[in-house]
Amino acid sequence: MSAFPGSPHVLKGGLVLLDPTTFTVLPNGIVPLQYNPDTLTRTLKIKGAEEGGDRSEALRLTGPAVETIKLDAEIDATDQLEVSDPTAVQHGIAPQLAVLETLVYPATATLQSNYALSQQGTLEIMPMMSPLTLFVWSASRIVPVRLTEFSITEEAFDPRLNPLRAKVSLTLRVLSIDDLFFSDKGGSLYMTYQRQKESLAQLYAGGTFGTLGITGLP
């Protein structure tokens, strides 16, 4: 599984987990993908004026498009086992999988605290906060996301049934300024992400009417 010595260095995509209050990186909160997926699917759902409404509203946008990112990542313990990494020998890839799984589970300390509050008669308990998750796909694509769907297919196991190889499917919804506070770190990251799209769009040279087989508009 080791790379060919003469192969170019390839950047890795991944996730960065931030404390939702301080916006500092959490311990072990940088989660690179072991192997970049071959494909990345992005779906944009336009937020426009309602169909059948006022004709003067037909071209208006009510906010940023709702963007969804889907990817399949592979995790394999082969490289770690080749160098006798003690964690891989003892647990396989279970630690890597667990880091991703903790994104969709509240911390046990929070669950215990909420239970204690309920036992004391607290009538309203705030929903539990998850880390602010950033999807990083190069320096020009860093965007806050929410993990909305997550599946794991474990494909190989050691004699103690620790997983050694798995495919992980992630569905991430981009969090825009419709979801985040405009002035905080999450909102700032989204605005930077959108500005980078606008900058890239300005680099496009555009076509001509002749390319479309017409001389102009009727």
Side-chain angles (χ1 to χ4, degrees):
M1 300 296 292
S2 301
F4 180 71
S7 61
H9 176 65
V10 178
L11 298 179
K12 294 182 180 294
L15 303 174
V16 176
L17 312 180
L18 303 183
D19 182 285
T21 303
T22 64
F23 301 110
T24 55
V25 179
L26 294 173
N28 300 322
I30 299 177
V31 188
L33 300 177
Q34 187 176 9
Y35 309 107
N36 288 332
D38 292 329
T39 60
L40 192 73
T41 302
R42 297 189 299 120
T43 304
L44 285 82
K45 183 179 180 181
I46 291 76
K47 296 179 71 173
E50 294 294 329
E51 292 185 11
D54 191 329
R55 290 182 178 84
S56 65
E57 304 294 314
L59 303 181
R60 293 191 184 277
L61 300 174
T62 60
V66 178
E67 182 174 357
T68 301
I69 299 170
K70 294 184 179 182
L71 60 94
D72 295 325
E74 294 184 4
I75 304 175
D76 195 313
T78 300
D79 288 345
Q80 291 91 330
L81 293 175
E82 282 182 353
V83 295
S84 299
D85 179 275
T87 301
V89 171
Q90 183 70 23
H91 303 286
I93 59 170
Q96 294 99 309
L97 296 177
V99 168
L100 294 172
E101 290 181 64
T102 54
L103 291 176
V104 296
Y105 288 104
T108 53
T110 304
L111 293 172
Q112 290 174 333
S113 175
N114 285 354
Y115 174 74
L117 289 172
S118 69
Q119 294 298 102
Q120 295 168 14
T122 303
L123 296 178
E124 183 177 359
I125 298 174
M126 290 290 290
M128 291 160 281
M129 293 285 286
S130 64
L132 175 61
T133 304
L134 307 180
F135 176 62
V136 179
W137 193 261
S138 82
S140 62
R141 200 184 304 188
I142 302 174
V143 60
V145 296
R146 175 184 292 128
L147 181 59
T148 60
E149 191 171 342
F150 177 32
S151 65
I152 301 170
T153 304
E154 298 179 3
E155 299 181 327
F157 304 89
D158 68 11
R160 287 174 290 188
L161 296 183
N162 292 310
L164 296 179
R165 187 173 67 247
K167 288 183 179 178
V168 177
S169 297
L170 302 176
T171 301
L172 310 167
R173 188 174 79 81
V174 172
L175 298 177
S176 73
I177 54 170
D178 286 348
D179 307 293
L180 303 166
F181 290 108
F182 193 93
S183 58
D184 69 14
K185 183 65 174 178
S188 174
L189 285 166
Y190 174 78
M191 290 298 291
T192 298
Y193 173 65
Q194 185 164 321
R195 288 191 189 101
Q196 287 168 335
K197 289 188 179 187
E198 293 168 353
S199 296
L200 287 171
Q202 292 175 359
L203 298 177
Y204 177 61
T208 65
F209 283 129
T211 306
L212 305 177
I214 59 177
T215 57
L217 299 177

